[in-house]
Amino acid sequence: MFSILAIGLSSHMRSNNNDLIHIDHLMKLQIFNRKSYVSVFRGLTEPSALVPFYSYDAFQCDSKAQRPLHSDGNVTIAALFSLVNYYCMDIYDSRCEEEKAIQFKLRSYQFTLAFIFAIEEINRNTHILPNTSLGFELYNVINNHLDIMRETLLFLIGMRINIPNYTCRRENKPAALLTGTSWEMSIQIGRLLNLYKYPQITFGRFDTILSDRGQFSSLYQTAPRDTFLSHGIVILMVHFSWTWVGLVLIDDHNAAEILSNLRGEMDRNRVCIAFVEMIPFNWMNSDFKSRTMHPQILKSSANVVIIYDVTKSLYAIIIYISIHSSAWKVWIIKSQWDVTTDVPYFIFDPFHGSLIFAHPHAEIPDFRKFIQTYKPSKYPGDHILALLWNTYFNCSFSGPDCKSLVNCLPNASLEMLPGNALEMDMSEESYNVYNSVYAVAHSLHEMTVKQVEIHHHSNGAVNTYPWEVHPYLKNIHFKNGAEKLMVLDSQRRLDAEYDILNLWNFPDGLRQKIKVGTFSPNAPQGQELFLSDHMIQWGIRFPELPHSVCSESCVPGFRKSPQEGKAACCYDCTHCPDNEISNETDVDHCMRCPESQYANTEQNKCLQKAVTFLSYEDPLGMTLTYLALGFSTLTTGVLGVFLKYHHTPIVKANNQTLSYILLITLIFCFLCPLLFIGHPNTATCILQQYTFAVLFTVAHSTVLAKTVTVVLAFKITLPGRLIRWIMISRATNLIIPVCTLIQLVLCGIWVSTSPPFIDSDAYSEHGHIIILCNKGSTIAFHSVLAYLCSMALGSYTMAYLSRNLPDTFNEAKFISFSMLVFFSVWVTFLPVYHSTKGKITVAMEVFSILASSAGLLGCIFVPKCHVILFRSHRNVLHHVRNKGHFKGKVNFPA
């Protein structure tokens, strides 16, 4: 026959004077004096997993409580649990070792209940180990290294004397050993059991160091692996927009890996760590005092703190934080810490509203009923249960056996323990104990079936050794009492899911854990977290969703600007540059609007730009249109005057043909700007520049021809036959077509290489897209202007040569002024043209055309019109001859 040993290791404080370090903190805070600290401590911890001291009369049963609780069976199962702590009544009293108080650890006591419940359930199940009854032995030990190792050796030996490598267990040898919640104790026991290839199953949280098959080939873990816990915590941070969180870790072998995983997940999701508190693993026995670490936890601006793992090293700190209720935080806690029973109660509970990540486990039928019916009368051998009845229900022991109880509260049960000290629902670790018992039972069942098949002719019992159970434990998969499939091999398990629990503290001081969501790492991306936000209750400090950020969010229209030397979550908000927007909060970079859109005033969205151009309805376009039409009308009037008075000497003396050509050209020059106004198209873009170039070429070549004619007529004193022929045949008029032809060639090259085209300017005017004509080749455009300027310079030179001719025939001053006006206009135009954009550029070009054309009209023809219309007495041949101061006959050009 076989026996199974289960050793449950408590994660509570060790039983020495250092256990009361948190009381020492209270004393330093002058909460109570030296004589009254015990009563205050009782008030702080009641009710909790560490329940009040019981009377001195119960000490006589304490020694019996240390003895195993035994129940017979074909297969016995032993369990070793740490169910009580021993404290000195007065740490300053020299008799401390003689006068100790005892406190129960009811959280560990539930492990015992789950263990016994699983055994009894298996005994009722006819499909597991039929015709075999299970018994148990429960040991209660003080939780320290020495006691654990001593009890482990005693278990191996089978008697109360330590004789290593000796055993008196010739029958009913344990088939497996269950160890508890503390990984360091599991390691200590595992190294010893590994020498004997003794199967060991731990029900504490999964630990990577225990999965090292090289060191612990005989060790198995029931708890699921926390592969995606860091991811789940960070997804929760992102869900609530918490980007500034604190982290409290135990500085053990897992700390580096945990911190690395959390940092990686936080960096990927833009969550920052405000502080990291690495609490020494042996803090309770070290000189590292809480005052060196609490300021960061209490004073940090982070309203959310992750307590990734909790051991006995953190308990005194947790109590300290609880007392400083001003440090309201949202605590993100792992399920291994039972905050509902392990933390003292206060009027204002700082852990109210905390969120807990817990591995989901099925509700085991009848477990609550089992606890309700678990009474001393039914289990008289459970001395711990008798002590609980004595402490809470005013019972008294009636005999020396510590079993008979009298004067008890009627109908008392564990459910009636005050302050919810014992949870009625199976905890996660108790569920692991429950499954561990089932794993061993199913392994034994399969092994028994296998051996019966092999030795079916044998009539006697089959002898089996514990190490023969290993092949079955490695491959075991079974359904527990809740019909949930369980796999002991961690390599074949699915990724663990998590329930998210919210800690509620009701007005009567009863903490409750309410399920508010789940985290499923196998769900599709973006659907891993399911949370009922409306069910969550937050702490008193937070009337609404808590806010935990280093810097306030940058609203749309602003971008984040990192603060030098600080975390990425600490930043300033900078306004987006011109024509850039941000339509979300906390963006790193602003987004430039497309060319067809522009940023609104708040710079949080792009608006469609309005298409515009220099139109006739535009005030500027309307003004230029009126100017163009007015000047063209005026020029037409001048032409009419010259036609009407064509027989007068002044009109004849100024070469009628060239004057008519110049006036007609100026009319078109004034009308040319109308091509620049209105919605441009490809035809108008080409006509704008070519018409302007050709018309001004004709105008300037006409002025040049007039000047050359005058110079040839009056500068040549002895005209030869060639000069006379030129004058008579009017060959100087050929200057006009020749010069125009050259300009046409330049324009032909322009149109063949890079002609003007329709273009848009989306940046010159805010909120508008300006449609205009692009010159195409700027070199060609400037070449055309240069050619016009060279002709103007030629006209100016010829006018300078004729400056001393008689006034009647001399237009030198007027031509010179007109050329100076032309130069002034276009020299001013070039820098202005290159420094302006949009419609102003078009308007400048139109204005330059009108101004230069007006210069020609005003300087050359206005003085003559004045004489013709208002000084007619000067427009007679006699006056012209006398004013000419020439002797002899003068032939006026027709």
Side-chain angles (χ1 to χ4, degrees), residues 321-442:
I321 294 173
S322 301
I323 295 169
H324 289 73
S325 58
S326 60
W328 293 104
K329 306 284 184 182
V330 177
W331 307 94
I332 310 299
I333 307 168
K334 277 190 63 176
S335 58
Q336 279 79 11
W337 178 32
D338 191 356
V339 72
T340 59
T341 58
D342 287 349
V343 179
Y345 292 97
F346 298 91
I347 297 176
F348 300 105
D349 187 2
F351 291 95
H352 173 70
S354 298
L355 296 174
I356 304 171
F357 276 79
H359 292 294
H361 55 270
E363 183 177 349
I364 304 301
D366 299 329
F367 181 69
R368 177 182 288 267
K369 183 178 179 181
F370 172 78
I371 295 179
Q372 292 171 345
T373 58
Y374 192 83
K375 300 181 179 181
S377 59
K378 187 176 181 180
Y379 297 90
D382 191 345
H383 298 287
I384 298 295
L385 184 63
L387 290 174
L388 285 172
W389 244 251
N390 172 263
T391 302
Y392 284 106
F393 303 126
N394 299 321
C395 298
S396 59
F397 296 105
S398 62
D401 58 354
C402 297
K403 294 182 179 179
S404 301
L405 295 169
V406 295
N407 301 323
C408 294
L409 185 69
N411 300 321
S413 69
L414 290 174
E415 188 179 23
M416 297 174 62
L417 292 179
N420 197 25
L422 179 66
E423 281 195 284
M424 301 302 292
D425 295 327
M426 188 176 286
S427 68
E428 180 181 330
E429 289 162 312
S430 297
Y431 185 71
N432 293 337
V433 171
Y434 175 83
N435 287 326
S436 298
V437 174
Y438 262 89
V440 175
H442 278 277

Side-chain angles (χ1 to χ4, degrees), residues 25 277-278 280 283 287-297 320:
H25 286 310
E277 285 290 1
M278 303 293 291
W283 182 85
D287 294 331
F288 189 84
K289 302 301 181 182
S290 63
R291 63 176 178 270
T292 64
M293 68 181 69
H294 292 325
Q296 284 199 89
I297 300 177
Y320 179 89

Side-chain angles (χ1 to χ4, degrees), residues 210-222:
L210 297 179
S211 62
D212 185 356
R213 307 307 296 173
Q215 295 187 62
F216 307 102
S217 59
S218 302
L219 189 147
Y220 305 89
Q221 300 186 72
T222 309

Side-chain angles (χ1 to χ4, degrees), residues 37 75 159 326 388 483 494 501 523 561 615 637 661 732 742 786 833:
Y37 75 91
V75 178
M159 50 193 267
S326 60
L388 285 172
E483 296 299 317
L494 296 176
L501 311 177
S561 180
S615 65
I661 293 174
T732 54
I742 296 174
Y833 174 79

